[in-house]
Amino acid sequence: MKYAQRPEPEVSAATDVKAAVLSTGVCGTDREVLSRKGFIPPDNSNFLITGHEVLARLVETGPDVEGLMPGDFVTFTIRRGCEACGPCRIGRPDMCETGRYAERGLGYADGFNSEFVVDSAANCVKLPSGIERLGVLCEPFSTVQKALNEAAEASRRLPETGGAPWFHGLRCLVMGAGPVGLLASMALVLRGAEVWCVDIVDERSARPQWLRAIGGNYIDARKLKPGKLSEAAGGKFGLIYQAAGDPESACGLLRSLAPNGVFIFFASGRGMIRSDGSLITGIIDGNQTLIGSISSAPRHFTMALESLAHAELKWPGHARSLLNAEFAPADFKKAYREDPLKNIKTVIDWR
Ligand SMILES: [Zn+2]
Ligand SMILES: [Zn+2]
C-alpha cells in the first residue's frame, strides 16, 4: 500500500458528478481483503484506490444531472453491475447472478480514498440536512438495512405476524459488537426489537457502552458456558444476525434460534464446520430460515438515511460517536493496521 499522486478525475459524461472527499471509513472488509488476497485493480491499472465508505461534497454536476447541486453532502453506492444478468439490468447489482460486478474500493474499480471522485449521478446519494456528517456510515448501514429487509420478507411466511410488525418485541441476537454489529443493533432497536449483542470485549469498554446507551443488552461470551446464550437472554432468539465470527461459532448459534426464527449470515470467514445431522434436523423441525446477505442497492441507502434520521432524533449525536478514531490521509497505514478492537470505527479525514 502506498500514498501516491494521481491525475485529478474530471466530469466526462453529462450525467456525471464530481465531489470533494471529506472522509472515508475503514472497515473489516478492507482489512479482510488486504489480509486475504489484496485488492484487485481495475482493468488497465496495476493498483487500486481503496475506500468504499465515503462522505463527500459535490463540487460539479454535469448538465443532465437533476436533483443534485454543488454544495450537497453526498455518499455513493459501491457495486457496479455486470449488466448481463436480470438483477443488474434492473438496477439491483447487489443481487448479481454472474459475479462479474465491480465494487468501488474493493475490487475492479477505484474507491474513494482520494481528494476528488467522479461518478454517475445514478450512484450518488444525497444526504439530508441534519445527518450530513453521518455519510461514512451509510454504506455499512445500507447493508444492514438490506439484510433486515430480507429477514422481514422471510417473516411474511409466518401465520398472522410478518413483515415490519414481526420485529416488535422480537428477541434478537447480534453476533459481534463491531461497527456493523452495533449498527444492526441500532436498526433492530429502532424497529422495536429486544436486542442482545454478544462479543468478547470487556463490558465496560466503548462498544458495549455504546450499545447500552441505545437500550441494547451486552453478553461477554468469555463469561458464558457453551450453549448458555439463550438462557442468559431469557429464551431462544427469533432473529440472529451474524455480523462477526468464524463459521463454526456461527453454526453453533443455530441451536439458539427459536422455532420459525430467521438467521442472517453476514460475515464470511474461514475454518471448518464440524457438526452432525442434528443441526439440519433442528432447522427443519423449527421451520427456520437461513439468509445470506451482501452488498446493498440505492433503496437500502434510502432506508439507511431514514433510520439514521430516526436515530438522530432519538439519541442526538450518538451515531456520530461511533466514528471515534480519525487519521490523516498520509497516516493511512496506521488507519488500516489499527487494532480494530481499540476503537469503534476508524475514518480517514480528507479535509
Ligand atoms: Zn465496509
Ligand atoms: Zn449481474
Side-chain angles (χ1 to χ4, degrees):
M1 279 205 301
K2 66 176 179 182
Y3 188 55
Q5 285 294 331
R6 297 275 284 160
E8 190 171 319
E10 298 297 344
V11 165
S12 58
T15 50
D16 276 354
V17 296
K18 179 173 174 176
V21 174
L22 300 177
S23 56
T24 51
V26 175
C27 81
T29 307
D30 294 308
R31 294 182 175 117
E32 164 76 12
V33 174
L34 266 178
S35 73
R36 192 160 32 107
K37 54 180 195 281
F39 296 95
I40 300 167
D43 295 341
N44 312 322
S45 175
N46 50 14
F47 66 91
L48 177 100
I49 299 175
T50 59
H52 62 277
E53 305 169 351
V54 65
L55 164 64
R57 198 160 192 191
L58 291 184
V59 292
E60 189 184 342
T61 54
D64 290 354
V65 173
E66 287 173 12
L68 292 167
M69 59 177 75
D72 285 348
F73 288 93
V74 297
T75 189
F76 293 92
T77 63
I78 65 166
R79 194 178 276 196
R80 307 291 173 256
C82 71
E83 301 313 328
C85 76
C88 284
R89 276 196 234 112
I90 59 161
R92 287 295 306 272
D94 60 306
M95 304 296 273
C96 179
E97 290 169 357
T98 67
R100 293 198 298 271
Y101 51 79
E103 286 180 316
R104 290 202 68 166
L106 290 176
Y108 306 101
D110 279 332
F112 307 117
N113 271 325
S114 52
E115 283 174 274
F116 295 99
V117 293
V118 168
D119 207 327
S120 165
N123 304 318
C124 182
V125 180
K126 184 179 168 176
L127 302 166
S129 67
I131 55 167
E132 300 97 335
R133 299 286 159 188
L134 301 177
V136 158
L137 295 174
C138 285
E139 192 279 331
F141 204 29
S142 71
T143 62
V144 165
Q145 298 294 336
K146 174 181 168 181
L148 293 182
N149 199 43
E150 309 273 288
E153 287 298 322
S155 77
R156 286 184 207 281
R157 77 208 161 93
L158 301 176
E160 296 177 53
T161 56
W166 173 67
F167 288 104
H168 283 278
L170 188 73
R171 188 184 295 114
C172 299
L173 177 71
V174 177
M175 183 183 185
V180 166
L182 293 177
L183 287 171
S185 299
M186 185 171 84
L188 284 165
V189 170
L190 289 172
R191 283 166 168 78
E194 176 192 318
V195 177
W196 296 80
C197 186
V198 60
D199 207 318
I200 51 169
V201 293
D202 192 285
E203 59 184 316
R204 286 157 301 181
S205 62
R207 294 167 181 214
Q209 279 186 27
W210 192 95
L211 174 76
R212 277 193 293 268
I214 58 163
N217 306 284
Y218 179 68
I219 298 174
D220 184 344
R222 298 168 303 181
K223 293 184 177 169
L224 215 59
K225 290 202 182 89
K228 297 287 179 191
L229 200 55
S230 49
E231 210 171 280
K236 291 193 172 189
F237 303 96
L239 174 86
I240 297 181
Y241 194 118
Q242 179 249 356
D246 58 85
E248 172 108 34
S249 42
C251 286
L253 286 183
L254 273 166
R255 300 191 197 277
S256 301
L257 190 63
N260 299 342
V262 179
F263 195 107
I264 300 168
F265 287 97
F266 188 86
S268 55
R270 285 162 286 181
M272 292 287 292
I273 299 169
R274 282 165 291 261
S275 176
D276 61 22
S278 69
L279 191 74
I280 289 175
T281 307
I283 297 166
I284 297 166
D285 288 352
N287 287 297
Q288 292 165 337
T289 305
L290 313 187
I291 294 175
S293 186
I294 193 164
S295 192
S296 57
R299 67 173 70 180
H300 306 118
F301 275 73
T302 305
M303 291 169 73
L305 293 175
E306 284 168 5
S307 210
L308 284 172
H310 188 179
E312 223 21 47
L313 281 176
K314 220 168 146 101
W315 310 290
H318 196 60
R320 179 77 177 78
S321 71
L322 280 172
L323 312 173
N324 66 348
E326 291 188 350
F327 291 86
D331 286 335
F332 72 93
K333 280 188 183 158
K334 279 189 206 155
Y336 278 85
R337 289 182 189 147
E338 173 89 343
D339 172 6
L341 287 181
K342 222 172 107 191
N343 297 296
I344 304 182
K345 179 83 184 162
T346 302
V347 297
I348 299 175
D349 188 349
W350 284 88
R351 274 164 291 177

